[in-house]
Amino acid sequence: MIYNIQKILFPIFYFLGTLCYSQNWQIQNTAINFNDIFLLDNNKGWIVGVSGVIQHYDGVKWVFQNSDNKNTLSAVWALDENNAWAVGKLGTILKYNGSIWSTENSGTTLDLLGVWGLNKDNVWAVGRSGTILKYDGNSWIPQASGTTNSLASIWGPDINNIWVAGATILNYNGNNWSQINADTTNYLYKLWGVDKDNMGRWRRGNWKRNDFKIRRFKWAKQASNTNEFLFQYSWN
């Protein structure tokens, strides 16, 4: 069943054509350029893209949801069916309450590229010029990142150990963000993990592309065995 949900990924992220070898993968027709997908389970999820487009998967089909927004959306993350966030161009932040999407005040006009959270009172958005915003359940509050580099993705196993990747790598210890040596100058598009000792990130290099894995807070290169551009991945 999971393949039926994920099959839409091919027209969204063209690089997956180099990674997907299962005969169960199928192209699902769409004329819309999507940027990100998040699945709660096999029967629930969202996909976002250009011009504020949001679609929701109900276990059978993808259905458009009104975002009342025309800005391109870069990322989406959900805690459950009643708490989902999407971020994008010009500081756009949208929240879904189970019925409608509504605009939240981000306090910035900089593009937001990634969103993720631990619970409904601890959600982060990251973006251009080192932007990091934290949602405390009521409002979005800027956090000092210590960098002006673009930040594309965020994930963490707990509130005292959160990671951000983009033009640099940052780690949050519960109080402050600090820059981490990642042994690469390439832009890192996606960060995800299963626990504090097992994380990965994708980069796009000039020739050879590698993915990375963290073991006890030390990043080490892993060969991806492809020269194609890699922008996204999933781990479970």
Side-chain angles (χ1 to χ4, degrees):
M1 183 64 176
I2 189 68
Y3 289 114
N4 292 330
I5 298 174
Q6 291 179 325
K7 63 187 179 182
I8 196 172
L9 289 179
F10 182 87
I12 301 165
F13 308 117
Y14 69 89
F15 69 91
L16 282 177
T18 68
L19 301 179
C20 302
Y21 52 85
S22 170
Q23 62 182 357
N24 293 318
W25 286 89
Q26 302 174 20
I27 296 175
Q28 191 170 80
N29 293 327
T30 175
I32 299 170
N33 291 322
F34 292 102
N35 294 320
D36 196 26
I37 185 170
F38 186 87
L39 302 176
L40 286 168
D41 54 39
N42 287 2
N43 299 308
K44 292 185 288 292
W46 287 268
I47 196 164
V48 299
V50 300
S51 301
V53 168
I54 299 176
Q55 288 190 21
H56 176 261
Y57 187 72
D58 61 9
V60 178
K61 61 187 180 301
W62 291 93
V63 179
F64 282 99
Q65 290 185 329
N66 181 26
S67 69
D68 196 27
N69 167 71
K70 296 300 182 183
N71 291 330
T72 291
L73 299 173
S74 302
V76 60
W77 176 82
L79 176 67
D80 52 43
E81 274 279 86
N82 301 313
N83 292 278
W85 287 265
V87 301
K89 288 282 188 180
L90 300 175
T92 297
I93 297 181
L94 305 176
K95 184 181 185 299
Y96 186 67
N97 64 4
S99 300
I100 62 171
W101 288 91
S102 57
T103 299
E104 297 198 322
N105 181 16
S106 68
T108 183
T109 57
L110 293 169
D111 295 348
L112 298 174
L113 305 175
V115 62
W116 167 86
L118 287 166
N119 51 56
K120 65 180 181 179
D121 296 326
N122 289 281
V123 183
W124 284 263
V126 298
R128 304 288 185 195
S129 300
T131 299
I132 299 180
L133 306 175
K134 181 182 181 296
Y135 184 71
D136 63 4
N138 295 301
S139 60
W140 291 89
I141 302 168
Q143 290 187 326
S145 67
T147 182
T148 57
N149 291 322
S150 287
L151 306 173
S153 185
I154 180 169
W155 181 86
D158 58 65
I159 200 167
N160 297 315
N161 188 20
I162 300 173
W163 295 83
V164 169
T168 186
I169 288 185
L170 303 178
N171 177 250
Y172 184 67
N173 63 8
N175 295 303
N176 302 295
W177 290 94
S178 57
Q179 192 162 332
I180 304 298
N181 180 18
D183 190 30
T184 181
T185 58
N186 294 89
Y187 193 86
L188 305 168
Y189 287 91
K190 192 67 177 180
L191 174 76
W192 200 256
V194 292
D195 56 42
K196 67 182 180 67
D197 294 324
N198 292 278
M199 299 170 61
R201 55 194 167 90
W202 292 111
R203 77 175 185 178
R204 183 179 72 177
N206 294 326
W207 175 242
K208 185 176 181 180
R209 284 81 187 174
N210 293 315
D211 65 303
F212 294 72
K213 191 174 184 180
I214 187 171
R215 288 285 188 182
R216 301 190 184 279
F217 301 101
K218 181 179 180 180
W219 289 95
K221 294 180 181 178
Q222 289 186 329
S224 63
N225 298 317
T226 181
N227 291 326
E228 298 297 326
F229 292 119
L230 306 174
F231 295 98
Q232 177 81 284
Y233 74 102
S234 177
W235 189 340
N236 57 37

